Amino acid sequence: MRTIKFLLQKEFLQIFRNKSMLPIIFVMPIIQLVVLSFAATYELKEVDMHVVDFDQSDLSRQLVTKLQASGYFHLKSRSRDIDQGIREIQKNEVQLALVIPPHFKKDLRSGKSSSVQMNIDAVDGATAGLIQGYGRSIIQDFNAEIQPRATDVQRSGIAAPGMEVIPASWYNPNLDYIKYMVPGILVVLVSMIGMFLSGMNIVREREIGTIEQLNVTPIKRYQFITGKLLPFWIIALFELGVGLLIAYYGFNIPFVGSALLLFGIAAIFMLVVQGIGLFISTITDTQQQAMFIAWFLMVVFILMGGLFTPIESMPVWAQELAMFNPVAHFIKIMRMVLLKGAGWAEVQHLTGLLSLMAVIILPAAILRYQKSTG
Amino acid sequence: MDSTRPAIKTRNLTRKFGDFSAVDNISFEISKGEIFGFLGANGAGKTTAIRMLIGLLTPTSGEASVAGFDVFTEAEAIKNRIGYMSQKFSLYADLTVWENIRLYGGIYGLPMETVKAKADDLLKTLQLSDARDKRIGSLPLGWKQKLAFSVAVLHEPDIVFLDEPTGGVDPITRRQFWEQIYEVTEGGTTVFVTTHYMDEAEYCDRVSIMVDGVIEALDTPSGLKEEFKADNIEEVFIELARGADRSQN
């Protein structure tokens, strides 16, 4: 215990003295949390639109106004040439070219159906889907608004009975993407601290040569490893706390579940990612190698972790691989606990998986770490 | 440690890297309190031999015991009884002199009062008291080397291994360094030292000269000079090392 105390003292002194790492450890995560959370959103903002209006009626103008008034679409240019609209898309000037056909007003007023065409830049499939969804819903709204007037003219009496679906969004009623993103980004941040810093720290000592002086002392393996893991374990949990405060006060993320439960699971999760970092440090000689491997894993973990795209919509093989992805599990747990108020019963299965990973990777890494070389 | 038992004993100690024998069947005995000079050209296998003796590298074959413990089976027990100063400066540059001393004192399990008293003593002897709270990285090389040696002997080990401790250090500092070495041997510590300075070889009780992983000569400095009919150790060394097959690294 006493040896560990001296090692911890040394590590903390070094961490707080490292003028280039300290801001990275403490400031960057906070900036990242704030910036990423606002930027990594799936909400549609100000899509530039080109309008080809062949009708030039008050009704067609009303439709365009309605689209603009929604705040999602911005009228950038207009013409009376469909090709012009497509060219604008090609030049990346607009993402949507809306075509309103001739006789649009006349057809609607006379009770006939009319159609408008949305030409969407679908290079980015996700955004294209959103443009389509938002645009369609606004146009349908518009349709419903003018319907009574059309029937007035028609005097046909009853509007066609339709089936209406009324969606209710639970846990995130306004479908606010920040609420969805922030818990996930928090996970990524603590994972990076865990995976990069502790492992990198050991490789750095190997590079400088200071590790040799430690290896000729009677220091025990577990003491050395504890001295390396514990500081970043503490720092990561501290940052998780700061991040949660920012999430709560800055982003109004509902904190429905138990903070104690969350920190308990985070403590286990940290052991998993630190174990991975430690393992990487035992198979590499330079920080560059370690960084590269850690980064590769991190990218896979994030992209397949359900942060940006739901795991449920991945192919089956990818979903099965996600079983081995600790980041995916913790992101899920974070969202469940923070947004839904999930308790132990709901997260015990995932927590069990994380614990299993911890008891496999950590001893494996400690066993691989050798004071002497064979 | 039993004073009649050798401090270090090796028999046919060998380390191979693939087909290459870095250290090839070396055998020697070093008695307690001796200053043993371990000479050899670059690449002769000195560092490999030291690394095996201090438990950083497992030997391929042969036998060796250090401070009475077997290097194969009791490497961790050896580590309690030895000090080591590597070729490459390996204290923490971003910690102060005192913080480095405190860390290693703590790791070796010395009581804090002892560490404090020793640190004060040491810094006074080395005339480095003003540097106590300076980061070690900011000190001149000579001071660093003296401090590294001090840290290596802080826990009063039975044997201290010094791998080219005076490389790149000025003559005055080298002289002070050797005074430090003599001082610790008075306390009964055995010193195992490698060097490229032949004048330093003359300070040793006995000297071995290693060529291509093999110990070609081992005797007192005067015995070696007599045997090779040379005026100084340098001539002996050049005579032996010239025959080396391994290119300089």
Side-chain angles (χ1 to χ4, degrees):
Chain A
M1 260 336 274
R2 198 167 164 267
T3 307
I4 293 177
K5 188 198 107 190
F6 283 106
L7 287 171
L8 288 178
Q9 186 179 39
K10 158 199 171 272
E11 293 297 337
F12 275 113
L13 275 172
Q14 290 185 304
I15 292 169
F16 284 98
R17 252 174 221 174
N18 193 331
K19 289 281 169 289
S20 56
M21 282 303 282
L22 201 63
I24 294 185
I25 296 174
F26 288 100
V27 182
M28 285 255 296
I30 290 163
I31 293 176
Q32 271 180 12
L33 176 64
V34 173
V35 173
L36 269 180
S37 303
F38 278 121
T41 163
Y42 287 137
E43 272 174 83
L44 206 54
K45 295 238 165 62
E46 292 275 294
V47 172
D48 286 320
M49 164 177 72
H50 180 91
V51 171
V52 183
D53 186 353
F54 291 116
D55 194 42
Q56 299 286 342
S57 63
D58 57 333
L59 210 55
S60 70
R61 272 190 296 276
Q62 260 178 45
L63 175 60
V64 174
T65 313
K66 190 172 171 63
L67 281 166
Q68 284 181 276
S70 70
Y72 299 117
F73 298 94
H74 168 243
L75 177 62
K76 194 154 187 206
S77 53
R78 51 168 81 230
S79 69
R80 302 182 78 167
D81 178 3
I82 297 178
D83 290 338
Q84 174 69 26
I86 302 298
R87 270 197 301 277
E88 292 289 314
I89 292 179
Q90 211 158 34
K91 284 190 287 180
N92 266 350
E93 292 292 329
V94 301
Q95 287 151 282
L96 167 69
L98 182 76
V99 181
I100 304 172
H103 316 303
F104 175 69
K105 178 179 176 184
K106 204 174 129 207
D107 285 348
L108 285 177
R109 290 288 186 235
S110 60
K112 279 193 255 168
S113 69
S114 181
S115 41
V116 294
Q117 185 188 39
M118 291 198 290
N119 297 286
I120 303 169
D121 179 355
V123 169
D124 172 359
T127 310
L130 290 170
I131 294 175
Q132 193 192 337
Y134 280 63
R136 184 198 292 269
S137 114
I138 293 167
I139 292 165
Q140 273 170 355
D141 262 13
F142 176 77
N143 192 33
E145 277 170 28
I146 61 160
Q147 206 63 42
R149 276 188 268 165
T151 47
D152 276 352
V153 175
Q154 266 296 64
R155 297 195 185 285
S156 63
I158 318 145
M163 205 202 291
E164 203 178 351
V165 177
I166 302 169
S169 307
W170 280 78
Y171 309 117
N172 185 1
N174 301 325
L175 292 178
D176 183 349
Y177 273 95
I178 288 183
K179 287 196 173 54
Y180 179 71
M181 291 305 290
V182 167
I185 288 170
L186 271 176
V187 173
V188 171
L189 291 180
V190 294
S191 318
M192 285 179 60
I193 293 173
M195 213 155 117
F196 286 72
L197 295 184
S198 19
M200 219 59 63
N201 191 296
I202 294 176
V203 184
R204 181 162 171 265
E205 287 221 26
R206 192 171 300 144
E207 259 183 2
I208 308 175
T210 47
I211 204 162
E212 217 170 76
Q213 197 68 48
L214 280 180
N215 283 344
V216 295
T217 68
I219 191 173
K220 301 270 189 299
R221 243 181 348 197
Y222 78 88
Q223 294 170 330
F224 176 78
I225 302 283
T226 310
K228 285 294 176 201
L229 294 192
L230 200 54
F232 296 106
W233 186 83
I234 294 171
I235 288 173
L237 291 182
F238 169 80
E239 289 200 354
L240 179 63
V242 173
L244 284 172
L245 286 178
I246 295 178
Y248 186 74
Y249 289 105
F251 296 107
N252 293 318
I253 307 291
F255 209 124
V256 199
S258 148
L260 201 67
L261 177 67
L262 205 59
F263 274 94
I265 299 171
I268 299 170
F269 172 73
M270 280 310 295
L271 292 181
V272 180
V273 284
Q274 287 192 299
I276 296 171
L278 185 64
F279 193 85
I280 293 171
S281 79
T282 65
I283 56 172
T284 49
D285 295 315
T286 64
Q287 293 186 75
Q288 205 175 17
Q289 294 168 346
M291 196 68 140
F292 193 75
I293 298 177
W295 185 247
F296 168 76
L297 279 179
M298 198 67 215
V299 169
V300 174
F301 282 167
I302 293 176
L303 289 181
M304 299 187 71
L307 175 62
F308 299 109
T309 46
I311 295 172
E312 287 73 19
S313 53
M314 290 177 189
V316 177
W317 61 266
Q319 291 191 33
E320 279 166 6
L321 273 184
M323 280 283 292
F324 302 98
N325 182 349
V327 174
H329 297 324
F330 194 44
I331 288 178
K332 213 168 181 179
I333 293 173
M334 274 280 242
R335 284 177 179 156
M336 284 169 78
V337 174
L338 278 182
L339 304 181
K340 291 182 172 181
W344 173 242
E346 287 86 10
V347 296
Q348 58 179 356
H349 171 66
L350 289 173
T351 311
L353 275 176
L354 285 180
S355 310
L356 187 69
M357 289 180 188
V359 298
I360 291 171
I361 187 76
L362 211 50
I366 294 173
L367 279 179
R368 260 207 66 94
Y369 173 78
Q370 295 292 342
K371 283 176 77 180
S372 64
T373 45
Chain B
M1 185 170 54
D2 182 352
S3 64
T4 58
R5 233 194 342 211
I8 303 174
K9 184 179 177 184
T10 72
R11 242 188 65 202
N12 299 327
L13 190 66
T14 300
R15 172 67 206 205
K16 287 186 175 159
F17 294 102
D19 289 337
F20 174 78
S21 297
V23 171
D24 194 0
N25 284 297
I26 60 172
S27 306
F28 55 82
E29 273 185 29
I30 300 170
S31 44
K32 191 174 188 285
E34 195 176 353
I35 300 179
F36 188 82
F38 198 59
L39 310 189
N42 292 329
K46 300 184 306 275
T47 300
T48 306
I50 288 196
R51 291 175 65 84
M52 284 193 279
L53 295 177
I54 62 178
L56 287 184
L57 190 67
T58 313
T60 309
S61 61
E63 290 167 25
S65 71
V66 174
F69 296 105
D70 188 87
V71 295
F72 286 93
T73 56
E74 299 166 307
E76 287 304 301
I78 290 174
K79 287 175 182 172
N80 262 316
R81 317 293 286 270
I82 59 164
Y84 170 59
M85 177 178 166
S86 82
Q87 245 176 54
K88 203 170 163 191
F89 179 72
S90 49
L91 295 179
Y92 292 97
D94 49 355
L95 296 183
T96 66
V97 171
W98 160 243
E99 285 160 354
N100 271 289
I101 294 175
R102 180 179 60 189
L103 171 67
Y104 281 100
I107 288 176
Y108 283 109
L110 304 180
M112 253 316 105
E113 305 82 68
T114 313
V115 176
K116 266 193 197 120
K118 272 181 161 282
D120 287 343
D121 249 22
L122 202 79
L123 293 175
K124 207 176 277 170
T125 323
L126 297 176
Q127 296 173 318
L128 294 178
S129 298
D130 292 342
R132 185 180 188 276
D133 296 315
K134 287 210 174 92
R135 306 237 176 124
I136 259 188
S138 67
L139 301 179
L141 182 67
W143 297 17
K144 282 186 193 168
Q145 297 297 80
K146 285 194 263 182
L147 284 166
F149 177 73
S150 307
V151 169
V153 297
L154 193 70
H155 55 296
E156 297 173 3
D158 293 338
I159 305 153
V160 59
F161 292 86
L162 309 172
D163 197 359
E164 290 182 27
T166 51
V169 166
D170 68 68
I172 300 166
T173 312
R174 279 212 284 141
R175 174 56 66 87
Q176 291 169 340
F177 197 93
W178 275 89
E179 281 164 13
Q180 253 189 307
I181 291 180
Y182 277 119
E183 212 168 289
V184 302
T185 54
E186 276 163 26
T189 298
T190 308
V191 176
F192 186 101
V193 58
T194 78
T195 180
H196 284 306
Y197 297 105
M198 293 306 141
D199 57 325
E200 291 182 356
E202 309 266 3
Y203 302 151
C204 300
D205 294 325
R206 281 196 307 156
V207 168
S208 77
I209 297 177
M210 204 170 176
V211 180
D212 289 351
V214 178
I215 292 184
E216 290 286 353
L218 197 171
D219 206 341
T220 59
S222 51
L224 282 179
K225 281 184 277 192
E226 214 166 291
E227 186 185 337
F228 288 86
K229 299 186 173 50
D231 293 334
N232 52 42
I233 295 291
E234 181 152 6
E235 284 177 24
V236 179
F237 182 85
I238 291 174
E239 168 85 23
L240 286 170
R242 197 177 270 153
D245 294 329
R246 289 184 196 164
S247 55
Q248 302 260 312
N249 59 1

